[in-house]
Amino acid sequence: MLSRAFAVASCVSIAALLGAGQSAALELPLPPEGEDVVGQIQVVKARYEDTFAALGEAHDLGYLEMVAANPGVDPWLPGEGTDIILPTRFILPPGPREGIVINLPEYRLYYYPKGENVVHTFPLGIGREGWGSPVGNTRISAMTSNPAWYPPQSIRDEHAAEGDPLPKVVPPGPDNPLGPYKMNLAIPGYLIHGSNKKFGIGMRVSHGCFRMLNHNVLELAGLVKVGTPVRIIDEPYKFGLSQGKVYLEAHTPLQDEDHHMTLMDKHAVVINTLLKRDEAASGLQLDWEMIREIVAGEDGLPIQIADQAQALAAAEDEQIF
C-alpha cells in the first residue's frame, strides 16, 4: 500500500503544476454535483525573509494549517529555497452549501454566494480554551464599518488582573482589536471581525469571536448582508468524493488540545463520521492503513483512502462468481 507521505508528495507534484498562475484569493469553483473537493495544493519556494505568518497572510491561510502541512519546517525561519506546501485544497464541510459555514477545528470559514457556482474561503482565529466559540445555527444580525469596541466587563476584569486595564470604549483606528469591520451574530456577544494584530489568524486566540485578516473581513463584508445564515460546526474529520475517489482530511480535534485524546479515541470519531456518509454502505475498500496515518498526521490535506472504481469492479467480480 502507498504511504501517506508518498500520497501527499504525489498530490503536491500534480497540484503544483495545476496551481501555477492562480491568484492568492481563495475563490474556488464548486465541484460537480455529488463531489466535495475544491482547490489545488500549491508549492512555493521560501525566501530568506519569509515566515509562515507572512506566507499565510499572502495566501489566505492560517498559521496552524501552514504548520500542519509542513512538518519539520521552522515556521519562523523556513530557510531560503525551502519548498513550502500551501494547503489550498479542501474538502467542503458536510451539510448544506449555503450562506456562511465555519468549521472550528479547521480554523476556516466558507461562504457560498447564492446563485453562484463558487465558494469563498478564509482562515479564522477562534475562541481559546475557556472562551470557546459556539456551535450551532445563527445569522448575521448587524454589520458595522470602522467599529468602536466596548469591552465586556469579563474581559476588562481579565485585563485588569494582568495589569493591563482597558478603557470602557476603544475608538476606531489602528489600536482597535475589531479591525476595520465587524459583523454581529444573532448569538449575543459573538462577532466576525478584523484585527489589529496580524498574528493569531488560524489559531485559538480570541474570547470566542471569529477573528479575520483585515483584507479578508473587508472582502467578506462586501459579499454578505444582514440575515445571511451562519452555520458553525465542529468537524475535525471530513470525507469527500472527487472523480470517483474518496478522500479524508484530518485536523486536530479541539478537545484533543483541551483534554488529550488517544489515537483509539480519534479512530472512533473517524469511524462515526464515516458512518454518517453514504460511502459506508457502498462496499468501498477503504485503505485503513492510510486512514491511520492520516489521523496520526493531522496535516489538513485531503488524501485518497478509497476508489469507487475498485469497489465497482469487486462487486462485478462477485456477480460473475
Side-chain angles (χ1 to χ4, degrees):
M1 292 187 178
L2 294 178
S3 71
R4 168 180 156 272
F6 183 84
V8 172
S10 299
C11 182
V12 168
S13 64
I14 295 172
L17 293 175
L18 294 175
Q22 286 185 340
S23 64
L26 290 178
E27 176 188 332
L28 304 168
L30 288 177
E33 185 74 25
E35 297 199 357
D36 310 283
V37 181
V38 298
Q40 295 290 348
I41 298 171
Q42 302 174 71
V43 179
V44 296
K45 293 281 187 184
R47 301 170 300 174
Y48 76 94
E49 70 269 25
D50 281 334
T51 66
F52 281 7
L55 286 169
E57 182 180 5
H59 295 277
D60 291 343
L61 295 166
Y63 178 76
L64 288 182
E65 62 186 333
M66 289 287 294
V67 171
N70 295 276
V73 179
D74 186 335
W76 295 107
L77 191 64
E80 186 165 9
T82 301
D83 285 337
I84 304 298
I85 293 174
L86 302 180
T88 48
R89 193 181 198 202
F90 312 94
I91 296 174
L92 294 173
R97 295 174 187 173
E98 58 185 32
I100 290 172
V101 180
I102 293 172
N103 189 17
L104 298 177
E106 253 187 290
Y107 306 95
R108 183 157 286 277
L109 177 153
Y110 296 83
Y111 172 61
Y112 302 93
K114 191 172 183 178
E116 299 181 36
N117 199 38
V118 299
V119 60
H120 301 260
T121 182
F122 308 99
L124 293 174
I126 68 170
R128 55 185 168 86
E129 185 177 354
W131 295 85
S133 298
V135 172
N137 295 322
T138 183
R139 58 182 173 81
I140 293 177
S141 60
M143 301 175 64
T144 308
S145 177
N146 295 314
W149 182 42
Y150 299 83
Q153 189 62 48
S154 57
I155 295 178
R156 293 183 65 204
D157 291 344
E158 180 187 66
H159 277 255
E162 295 173 353
D164 178 30
L166 289 173
K168 291 185 177 181
V169 181
V170 179
D175 296 326
N176 190 307
L178 300 184
Y181 212 97
K182 73 170 184 177
M183 290 166 256
N184 293 67
L185 300 181
I187 303 173
Y190 290 96
L191 311 170
I192 300 172
H193 63 82
S195 176
N196 63 338
K197 299 177 181 177
K198 292 182 178 180
F199 188 71
I201 306 303
M203 300 175 67
R204 297 183 72 176
V205 292
S206 77
H207 288 87
C209 291
F210 301 103
R211 185 183 297 181
M212 301 182 71
L213 292 165
N214 286 339
H215 70 274
N216 282 169
V217 77
L218 291 172
E219 181 178 349
L220 181 64
L223 296 169
V224 302
K225 60 183 179 181
V226 171
T228 296
V230 178
R231 183 164 57 93
I232 307 167
I233 62 176
D234 182 355
E235 295 283 351
Y237 305 111
K238 298 186 297 179
F239 291 88
L241 288 172
S242 180
Q243 298 181 349
K245 295 177 174 57
V246 183
Y247 291 82
L248 169 61
E249 179 182 317
H251 302 267
T252 302
L254 296 181
Q255 59 265 40
D256 188 39
E257 297 180 4
D258 299 338
H259 310 286
H260 185 65
M261 297 174 66
T262 67
L263 203 53
M264 187 174 294
D265 292 334
K266 295 179 182 182
H267 289 162
V269 176
V270 169
I271 292 170
N272 289 334
T273 304
L274 180 60
L275 290 175
K276 298 176 186 177
R277 299 279 307 206
D278 294 338
E279 292 89 347
S282 63
L284 289 173
Q285 298 177 356
L286 295 171
D287 187 341
W288 285 103
E289 183 177 338
M290 180 69 76
I291 291 173
R292 284 191 289 270
E293 289 196 41
I294 295 169
V295 172
E298 295 177 339
D299 60 15
L301 303 175
I303 299 174
Q304 182 184 335
I305 59 168
D307 191 325
Q308 287 184 318
Q310 292 178 354
L312 182 59
E316 290 175 347
D317 289 342
E318 289 179 3
Q319 292 177 356
I320 291 172
F321 296 102

